[in-house]
Amino acid sequence: MSDHDHDDHPSHGAAYLRVFIALCVFTGISVAADLVHMESKILLGAIVLAVAVAKALCVMMFFMHLKFERAWKYLLLAPTIILALALPISLRPDIGETYYTQDVQQQRDYEEQQANKHDSGHH
């Protein structure tokens, strides 16, 4: 293998430096968006989330070397995606619809006790 063969490959150090600079810029955008004190918290959340996704993609593609893998990596993600979707859907009836409601047995018992104390105090 000659020295010429090594020159054909791009420098990983330069690519990593570009990704590092991009991550710093993305972090700066996220901090600046938070410091601006936007009226719309939804817009602020969307900006911060978009920046976080961009940073995660940079890390995954370059530092985890997914950019250089073949398409089979998407097949490996299928079970993870299925589980990630199935978990909140399966927990929705138990937690999402009843857990945070104010109509719970303990609240009704407490209100009944308070009403009984109030009624017995006036007699």
Side-chain angles (χ1 to χ4, degrees):
M1 190 170 217
S2 68
D3 290 335
H4 184 268
D5 292 336
H6 290 287
D7 294 336
D8 291 340
H9 300 292
S11 171
H12 291 293
Y16 289 157
L17 182 62
R18 286 192 303 271
V19 172
F20 174 74
I21 291 170
L23 291 172
C24 289
V25 168
F26 287 143
T27 300
I29 292 170
S30 182
V31 169
D34 194 38
L35 292 176
V36 170
H37 300 293
M38 294 182 188
E39 292 292 323
S40 173
K41 295 297 182 188
I42 294 173
L43 179 61
L44 174 64
I47 291 171
V48 171
L49 185 62
V51 169
V53 168
K55 288 169 63 175
L57 286 174
C58 284
V59 169
M60 288 187 309
M61 291 299 178
F62 289 95
F63 295 124
M64 295 173 66
H65 305 285
L66 293 179
K67 179 179 179 184
F68 311 107
E69 295 290 333
R70 298 195 188 272
W72 66 269
K73 63 186 172 243
Y74 299 111
L75 181 65
L76 293 176
L77 287 176
T80 305
I81 292 169
I82 291 169
L83 287 173
L85 293 174
L87 185 64
I89 291 171
S90 64
L91 292 176
R92 173 100 178 128
D94 293 332
I95 295 174
E97 294 178 4
T98 59
Y99 188 75
Y100 294 105
T101 63
Q102 294 298 318
D103 186 31
V104 291
Q105 185 65 39
Q106 294 88 345
Q107 180 70 25
R108 290 191 299 268
D109 291 345
Y110 176 78
E111 290 170 355
E112 185 178 313
Q113 287 175 354
Q114 294 302 316
N116 289 339
K117 284 181 184 178
H118 186 333
D119 290 341
S120 64
H122 284 105
H123 291 313

